[in-house]
Amino acid sequence: HLVPHGLTAADYNRFIRHDVGIHQLIAAASVSARFVGAPEAEVIYRKEHQETEVQLALFWASNFLNKVILTNGAIGSFYSNRVFMYRVPERTVVRYVEFPATNYFPEADKQLAAETNLTEFIHQQWLRWDTNDTLIKDAKGLPLAEADAKKKIGEVVRTNQALLSARREAAQFGSDLMEMKPDPNKAENLEKLAAEKKFAVKATKPFDAISGLDEFEAPTNSASRLEETFQAAFRKAALALSNASPIRFTPIPGPQAVYVIALKGKVEPKTPPLEEISEKVTNDYKNFMAQDLARKAGMAFGTNVTNGLALKKSFEEICKAENVEVVNVPPFSEVTQSLTNFDARINVRLLQNLSRELEIGKASQFVPFSQEGGLVLYVNARPKLDDAKVQAALPESMGQLRFYRQNEAYQQWIRKQVELTKLSPPQRSETPTGAPK
């Protein structure tokens, strides 16, 4: 294994010595971190795993939409002050020849029929398939039976095999474009060659760097990630086309087809008049005003909660008086990563940060956490940890803490050594003329 890489036994021995030395340095530099006692580890474990029970008063902007009043001139003023938001940038339109996998299914079927181990290959793919992949799940999100899942995998194999043939023909089409006379670098050559070969030519709708390409919209299945990657590649290649270089001769592969593209034209940027986009502007205005109403209502409620709690009123009593819904949050601790069966729009990190400094029976001020809304958090309880569970988890926790401390100590030692030796990153120099790159 060494010779093909230009290495010798001496190189291997030197690597072993250096590797052992590095591990010895790690052990020596971090020896103090090993002395983590059970009392210290228990304190840290209890702090990290202490659960907190909180209640929320939520203020969603969507709940205030029906309270927005459209006054005379409000929409016009809103549009005038934000006209830059509605400017449509320059957009691109491209022609393309599509080589869909379905056209090559007969050829793929013949090739797959000659594969004697295809069944075993699909079986192995099924064994390795990610159970979270929606491709092998039914409409309800439940895993498919083995036979149905293998059928789906077989379809993917068939499509991929067909795409190989599609890419070959698309590549040949691109090569033929490059050979066209007198000038291969003309956009109209795509249509001319496609007509000769009896290929259909399609055109995209205008698109830019962010929006458009709806005709290639990702489906709601496991291929969506591939579709998104394809869209990004298609968009990048298309936007790079210009009058000087209007054709991309290299095919662009997609999950269901392969494409050769050429520039059709550019659509000049414009600012549409209010009359043309009045519905969108009106919706934007309503959402903006609803966000403002939600924020003001939340801030007023936050003040009322502080005053109410000082008067020994309960959080639920205050919410009921203000006609605000109380939401109970599943218990969480500092090590909680996510909350099950809870609104995904509310980040668990935010709840941890807000509750960390609050005593039981205290509430936070109103906190806007997105354009969608904000909240007031109330700490309801911090249940006592089960001592038996703490003691059972302590050995593993102590091992993890020692490992973390050792790594931290070693990194600090390394940084100190680098500082003492005054090492600096090597400076890049220009390659001398005539030297190999």
Side-chain angles (χ1 to χ4, degrees):
H1 296 292
L2 295 174
V3 175
H5 299 283
L7 300 173
T8 65
D11 295 319
Y12 178 72
N13 289 331
R14 184 168 58 252
F15 166 78
I16 293 297
R17 290 198 305 273
H18 288 174
D19 191 57
V20 171
I22 289 171
H23 281 82
Q24 188 64 32
L25 280 175
I26 294 174
S30 60
V31 66
S32 61
R34 298 181 184 178
F35 302 108
V36 177
E40 181 187 6
E42 182 175 347
V43 169
I44 294 174
Y45 180 87
R46 287 182 178 276
K47 181 179 179 181
E48 290 181 342
H49 291 80
Q50 173 61 63
E51 289 189 333
T52 300
E53 296 177 0
V54 305
Q55 294 175 306
L56 304 179
L58 295 170
F59 296 83
W60 297 112
S62 56
N63 293 337
F64 291 83
L65 283 170
N66 60 352
K67 297 181 181 180
V68 176
I69 300 174
L70 297 178
T71 59
N72 290 334
I75 303 301
S77 298
F78 183 82
Y79 171 77
S80 299
N81 293 333
R82 295 165 179 77
V83 67
F84 64 91
M85 294 175 54
Y86 300 103
R87 180 174 173 78
V88 179
E90 180 185 73
R91 290 167 294 163
T92 298
V93 180
V94 297
R95 299 184 182 94
Y96 62 90
V97 176
E98 181 180 38
F99 299 83
T102 52
N103 289 358
Y104 305 90
F105 277 164
E107 182 179 346
D109 291 338
K110 289 181 181 178
Q111 293 169 337
L112 293 175
E115 295 289 339
T116 56
N117 64 340
L118 179 61
T119 302
E120 177 60 22
F121 175 78
I122 291 176
H123 178 69
Q124 292 300 323
Q125 292 297 312
W126 175 72
L127 291 176
R128 291 195 294 266
W129 209 276
D130 184 357
T131 55
N132 292 320
D133 199 317
T134 55
L135 178 68
I136 56 173
K137 290 186 177 182
D138 60 19
K140 296 180 179 180
L142 299 175
L144 292 171
E146 179 179 345
D148 294 330
K150 288 182 176 180
K151 181 180 178 181
K152 286 272 191 179
I153 295 172
E155 292 171 358
V156 172
V157 172
R158 184 190 190 208
T159 298
N160 290 341
Q161 185 67 41
L163 284 172
L164 292 176
S165 299
R167 291 184 71 163
R168 283 194 292 269
E169 186 154 10
Q172 184 60 54
F173 185 81
S175 298
D176 293 343
L177 279 172
M178 295 181 68
E179 299 297 326
M180 292 191 70
K181 306 294 184 183
D183 183 3
N185 208 27
K186 287 186 176 296
E188 55 267 26
N189 287 347
L190 183 84
E191 286 196 274
K192 183 178 179 181
L193 181 61
E196 292 176 6
K197 293 180 174 289
K198 295 182 171 53
F199 291 153
V201 177
K202 301 178 182 179
T204 65
K205 297 176 183 177
F207 65 93
D208 55 45
I210 299 175
S211 62
L213 292 183
D214 297 335
E215 52 266 62
F216 303 122
E217 187 174 355
T220 54
N221 56 32
S222 63
S224 61
R225 292 190 299 274
L226 294 174
E227 196 75 42
E228 289 168 3
T229 302
F230 156 67
Q231 279 193 33
F234 190 100
R235 192 186 305 273
K236 181 179 179 181
L239 293 177
L241 298 177
S242 64
N243 291 330
S245 301
I247 298 180
R248 178 185 167 93
F249 299 103
T250 304
I252 305 172
Q256 300 295 328
V258 182
Y259 303 84
V260 177
I261 65 174
L263 180 66
K264 182 177 181 181
K266 300 283 186 178
V267 180
E268 293 296 319
K270 70 170 184 175
T271 301
L274 176 58
E275 296 75 19
E276 188 176 313
I277 56 172
S278 60
E279 183 177 353
K280 175 175 173 50
V281 176
T282 300
N283 288 334
D284 291 346
Y285 173 80
K286 287 181 177 179
N287 287 326
F288 177 82
M289 295 304 296
Q291 292 165 16
D292 186 57
L293 290 173
R295 183 169 56 252
K296 289 177 179 177
M299 293 176 66
F301 177 80
T303 301
N304 292 339
V305 166
T306 301
N307 296 335
L309 293 176
L311 296 173
K312 306 302 182 183
K313 294 181 180 179
S314 70
F315 184 70
E316 291 187 357
E317 184 181 358
I318 299 168
C319 289
K320 185 176 181 181
E322 297 284 333
N323 198 27
V324 175
E325 181 183 3
V326 177
V327 176
N328 293 306
V329 181
F332 59 86
S333 68
E334 290 292 332
V335 295
T336 301
Q337 298 295 320
S338 61
L339 297 173
T340 57
N341 300 322
F342 193 68
D343 197 322
R345 294 173 294 178
I346 303 174
N347 192 309
V348 67
R349 294 295 174 215
L350 173 64
L351 303 183
Q352 290 166 334
N353 293 336
L354 289 177
S355 63
R356 188 174 294 127
E357 304 301 327
L358 289 175
E359 299 176 2
I360 297 173
K362 298 296 183 181
S364 71
Q365 292 297 311
F366 173 74
V367 179
F369 57 84
S370 71
Q371 291 185 343
E372 293 183 86
L375 59 82
V376 173
L377 178 145
Y378 173 77
V379 177
N380 196 39
R382 288 191 174 95
K384 185 178 182 299
L385 285 171
D386 186 311
D387 291 334
K389 290 183 178 180
V390 172
Q391 295 306 317
L394 208 52
E396 181 181 355
S397 177
M398 197 182 309
Q400 292 174 346
L401 181 59
R402 286 173 178 169
F403 177 80
Y404 171 79
R405 291 276 183 85
Q406 281 183 274
N407 184 64
E408 185 179 40
Y410 175 68
Q411 294 299 329
Q412 289 178 352
W413 180 80
I414 283 289
R415 286 193 292 269
K416 186 64 177 178
Q417 299 312 306
V418 171
E419 181 182 334
L420 291 174
T421 54
K422 298 181 179 180
L423 291 174
S424 59
Q427 299 296 315
R428 295 183 63 182
S429 58
E430 297 294 330
T431 303
T433 304
K437 294 183 180 180

